[in-house]
Amino acid sequence: TAAARGASPACASQLGGGGCALLLGRMAAGQDDGPILVAVEDQRIVGAIGPLSTLTDASGTRTVPPQYFAVRPAYRRRGHGRALWCAAVSWGRAHGAACKILQAQTGSPAKRLYRAEGLTTLGFTCSQNLYP
C-alpha cells in the first residue's frame, strides 16, 4: 500500500477511473480497506489490484472477493496483469482462502488473461448504471 498511497489522481484516470479514484479517495480519507498490490514500471504505478480481503460465504468457504483490478493501457501485454493476479491469488491462499472471485465486465481487456488462468464464467448479470 505504500506505493499505492503515492499514486495520484492522474493514475486513477489512466487506470480506468472509477475504482482507482474511489480507492485513492478512501486512502486519502484514512480508510484502510486492506492491502493494494501494485505493478511498477518506469518508476510509476502501471497497475493495481485490491484492496485484498477474505470473506466466509454461507457454506463456510473462505474466499477472496472481487477487487478493483486494472493495468494502464500503454503497459498491457507486458505481464503486469498476470503478475498482479497471481500475487492476489497467492495472498488469498496465504490468508486461508479456498477460492478467488472475479467480477468483470463483458469484453474486459483482460479476458485473455482470465481464460489463460483457467477461469470459467459462473454467469452474467445485467445492471443499470446508477451513477451517471
Side-chain angles (χ1 to χ4, degrees):
T1 47
R5 291 187 194 283
S8 67
C11 171
S13 65
Q14 291 178 14
L15 282 175
C20 190
L22 175 68
L23 291 175
L24 290 170
R26 290 185 61 79
M27 285 188 294
Q31 299 293 325
D32 184 6
D33 296 320
I36 298 167
L37 306 179
V38 299
V40 177
E41 186 177 325
D42 300 331
Q43 299 181 341
R44 65 192 311 192
I45 294 172
V46 299
I49 189 168
L52 299 176
S53 64
T54 61
L55 296 173
T56 302
D57 69 14
S59 71
T61 302
R62 195 156 196 79
T63 66
V64 176
Q67 305 96 19
Y68 171 74
F69 178 32
V71 174
R72 288 183 188 199
Y75 289 87
R76 291 180 183 156
R77 305 200 48 86
R78 297 184 188 187
H80 298 299
R82 183 174 312 282
L84 288 166
W85 178 260
C86 290
V89 169
S90 292
W91 183 94
R93 281 189 192 119
H95 289 84
C99 64
K100 176 159 178 11
I101 299 170
L102 172 71
Q103 178 180 337
Q105 290 181 331
T106 302
S108 166
K111 66 183 173 186
R112 289 174 49 143
L113 167 65
Y114 305 147
R115 287 186 186 134
E117 289 297 316
L119 296 161
T120 57
T121 300
L122 297 176
F124 296 93
T125 60
C126 296
S127 62
Q128 178 179 352
N129 186 357
L130 301 176
Y131 307 101

